[in-house]
């Protein structure tokens, strides 16, 4: 069994495509988070759902504190994988309101990543201001955060750059 598991969430398919590419090229196991919440697939209606439970305004702030995770509007529909045999976990997902998407927040509240090596990537149009800090804050102190990479439209729109970025992440 591979020692690396990629845990990802995708609302509109980009992270799904990237995860499958990583699986095909690096033979890394996948876990696709399925949310109990039926989020609207277009950005602004979805953001309306998300910003209300987070208690933020239409435009989030730099350094906004993490929301109260007890208010998450739903959990994860599918059974979480047993990660005891994985040394390395990669977390891939979209940026929602400058930070992590709700389903990735749910995953991080429900799983114990102590003593795991963690890498991450996150996709966005362009702005990811709070993402990496928030991710690190949600990880247990005993996890080993190795590297995180932003994948914005200048990267995912260019297959050569995307390959280069993923290679940098996986081989780091
Ligand atoms: C609720 C919501 C909030 C978003 N907030 C941001 C953001 O803060 N910055 C940004 O560049 N893109 C933002 N986006 C765009 C997403 O990051 C983009 O749609 C996503 O990376 C696509 O991945 P997916 O197809 O796997 O869901 C947002 C999208 C949604 C649905």
């Amino acid at each position: 069994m591979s020692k690396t598991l990629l845990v990802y969430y995708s609302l509109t398919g980009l992270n799904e495509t990237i995860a499958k590419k990583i699986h095909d090229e690096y033979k890394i196991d996948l876990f696709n988070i399925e949310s109990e919440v039926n989020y609207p697939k277009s950005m602004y209606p979805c953001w309306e759902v998300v910003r209300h439970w987070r208690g933020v305004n239409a435009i989030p702030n730099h350094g906004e504190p993490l929301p109260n995770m007890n208010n998450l509007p739903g959990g994860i529909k599918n059974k979480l994988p047993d990660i005891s045999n994985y040394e390395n976990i990669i977390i891939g997902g979209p940026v929602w309101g400058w930070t992590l998407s709700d389903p990735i927040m749910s995953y991080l509240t429900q799983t114990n990543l102590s003593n795991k090596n963690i890498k991450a990537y996150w996709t966005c149009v362009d702005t990811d201001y709070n993402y990496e800090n928030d991710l690190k804050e949600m990880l247990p102190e005993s996890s080993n955060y190795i590297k995180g990479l932003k994948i914005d439209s200048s990267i995912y729109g260019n297959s050569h750059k995307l390959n280069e970025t993923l290679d940098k992440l996986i081989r780091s």
Side-chain angles (χ1 to χ4, degrees):
M1 187 194 288
S2 146
K3 286 187 184 157
T4 303
L5 175 69
L6 166 57
V7 176
Y8 73 97
Y9 171 74
S10 186
L11 179 66
T12 55
L14 176 61
N15 280 277
E16 178 81 19
T17 303
I18 293 175
K20 288 190 170 153
K21 193 175 172 60
I22 292 175
H23 172 76
D24 291 347
E25 287 176 21
Y26 302 94
K27 307 294 167 231
I28 284 175
D29 294 345
L30 301 181
F31 175 67
N32 172 20
I33 298 171
E34 291 173 29
S35 176
E36 283 173 350
V37 182
N38 195 10
Y39 291 101
K41 288 212 191 289
S42 49
M43 181 159 113
Y44 290 104
C46 186
W47 177 236
E48 280 307 300
V49 175
V50 172
R51 79 180 184 85
H52 277 112
W53 81 263
R54 292 185 187 179
V56 297
N57 291 322
I59 302 197
N61 291 321
H62 283 272
E64 187 87 54
L66 277 171
N68 180 347
M69 301 297 163
N70 294 326
N71 296 336
L72 271 161
I76 296 175
K77 206 158 52 177
N78 45 342
K79 188 173 177 293
L80 296 188
D82 175 3
I83 57 169
S84 51
N85 288 325
Y86 294 102
E87 283 172 24
N88 313 304
I89 307 288
I90 304 175
I91 297 168
V95 176
W96 283 6
W98 298 1
T99 183
L100 288 70
S101 62
D102 295 5
I104 296 288
M105 288 180 182
S106 290
Y107 179 74
L108 293 175
T109 59
Q110 286 178 36
T111 202
N112 182 359
L113 296 176
S114 296
N115 303 315
K116 303 292 180 191
N117 298 318
I118 310 290
K119 294 182 190 177
Y121 63 83
W122 47 94
T123 64
C124 61
V125 179
D126 50 10
T127 48
D128 68 339
Y129 303 124
N130 302 327
Y131 196 103
E132 191 169 33
N133 278 347
D134 287 353
L135 170 63
K136 286 187 191 162
E137 202 175 317
M138 289 197 72
L139 293 174
E141 257 176 41
S142 63
S143 67
N144 174 27
Y145 184 72
I146 296 179
K147 194 179 189 65
L149 288 176
K150 171 185 182 184
I151 300 181
D152 66 16
S153 50
S154 72
I155 297 175
Y156 63 70
N158 175 327
S159 59
H160 177 68
K161 267 197 193 170
L162 179 61
N163 288 344
E164 239 179 33
T165 305
L166 296 180
D167 209 55
K168 211 189 295 173
L169 183 74
I170 308 294
R171 298 191 195 284
S172 59

